[in-house]
Amino acid sequence: MPQVGVRLPASFESAGEFLADAQSLEAAGADLLLLGDGDLDPDLLLAAIAAVTVRVSLHHSAPTETLRRLARSRLISDLESWREVPFPADRNAWRASLAEAAEQSAAGVIIAMDPRLVDLLRNPDIEDDRATDLQLAQG
């Protein structure tokens, strides 16, 4: 199964929420975090992400020595074998994207950050069960 990379925007309103998103993505199973477009310094953003995560790899094409040390050997610079994929319409489309990437021998897929992504990473095989949750809550 290919790895999953998530492209975070290099811009935010709340630093706490931005870093909490990075931690949530790591906990949900993302393998790589990288930055997209934005108006903030990518070196500082990756340093902050490196400081609050422990496992997830980070992408930077030309890291500084400080960033290397903060990331503790989790930096990767080559994304050549990774494939960009759109956010899937549903879990079947997600599984299809991963299967296609595997067939192409891609190292992984890169997907833009979306609030629904944490649930998709944590529960790739569980369909939307909100109706069941409501039933359980009502007894």
Side-chain angles (χ1 to χ4, degrees):
M1 193 61 103
Q3 296 184 17
V4 176
V6 180
R7 187 178 307 279
L8 295 165
S11 181
F12 55 80
E13 294 297 318
S14 166
E17 287 180 20
F18 178 79
L19 295 174
D21 285 345
Q23 289 175 312
S24 294
L25 289 164
E26 178 181 50
D31 301 292
L32 170 69
L33 297 178
L34 58 158
L35 297 174
D37 294 332
D39 57 352
L40 299 176
D41 184 323
D43 289 336
L44 291 176
L45 290 178
L46 284 175
I49 293 170
V52 299
T53 59
V54 294
R55 178 198 54 80
V56 70
S57 295
L58 305 171
H59 172 258
H60 195 296
S61 57
T64 64
E65 183 59 27
T66 301
L67 184 53
R68 274 192 193 89
R69 289 183 187 195
L70 286 169
R72 301 172 304 281
S73 303
R74 295 182 289 137
L75 291 174
I76 65 169
S77 58
D78 181 18
L79 295 178
E80 187 175 323
S81 63
W82 288 73
R83 305 287 180 256
E84 293 271 350
V85 298
F87 195 85
D90 55 30
R91 282 175 166 75
N92 287 333
W94 176 242
R95 288 187 292 269
S97 291
L98 294 176
E100 183 178 335
E103 288 173 12
Q104 297 172 351
S105 299
V109 298
I110 298 172
I111 187 166
M113 175 55 182
D114 183 286
R116 301 168 290 174
L117 188 55
V118 170
D119 180 56
L120 187 62
L121 290 171
R122 284 190 179 144
N123 306 300
D125 298 321
I126 298 173
E127 296 306 321
D128 186 359
D129 62 350
R130 286 180 282 187
T132 305
D133 289 347
L134 181 59
Q135 227 174 13
L136 289 172
Q138 292 178 345

